Amino acid sequence: MNSTHEQTPLEMVAFSSLTHEEQALIPASPKDSSVEKVRVNEENESYMNRNVDHDQVYAVIFNHTGTNTSGDLVVYVDLDKETVVGKGFTKNE
C-alpha cells in the first residue's frame, strides 16, 4: 500500500513552531538538529505547554543554538509527529 501523504519531518514541525527570534538562533539549517524519543519527566515537563497523554515525546534539539547562559534550543513534539507540546533549552554543561 502506497500513501500519497508524506509526513513533514520532525525537524520542520519543530522549526515552524519557533518565533522569529528563536529561528534566528539556528546558525545553519533546521536539519542541523538531532531527534530522540525521551521520557516525560519532572525536568522536561516544565517546558511543556500542553498536557501530554504519553510518557514519551520526541525532543528535537537544534545544534549550536546554545549561549553562555543556556544550552541548545529543544522543541518537544507529541508522538503523533505533528503536535508541538513545548520548547525550552537543554542544560548548559
Side-chain angles (χ1 to χ4, degrees):
M1 199 177 337
N2 223 352
S3 174
T4 57
H5 172 72
E6 289 191 31
Q7 193 156 17
T8 305
L10 282 173
E11 298 92 337
M12 295 311 295
V13 171
F15 184 76
S16 66
S17 75
L18 300 176
T19 65
H20 291 295
E21 292 82 13
E22 291 166 333
Q23 288 177 1
L25 293 173
I26 299 170
S29 159
K31 292 288 185 183
D32 185 16
S33 59
S34 60
V35 177
E36 52 189 78
K37 194 182 279 189
V38 297
R39 188 163 298 284
V40 176
N41 58 33
E42 288 181 15
E43 184 179 318
N44 60 23
E45 192 172 35
S46 64
Y47 294 122
M48 297 183 196
N49 55 10
R50 299 175 161 226
N51 289 336
V52 179
D53 296 333
H54 312 289
D55 61 347
Q56 291 184 317
V57 294
Y58 290 103
V60 180
I61 302 165
F62 292 101
N63 299 319
H64 313 294
T65 57
T67 66
N68 290 338
T69 58
S70 68
D72 288 331
L73 181 61
V74 59
V75 176
Y76 298 98
V77 180
D78 193 86
L79 294 179
D80 67 8
K81 298 182 178 182
E82 295 178 356
T83 307
V84 173
V85 295
K87 58 186 165 185
F89 291 91
T90 60
K91 286 205 180 280
N92 204 0
E93 303 288 327

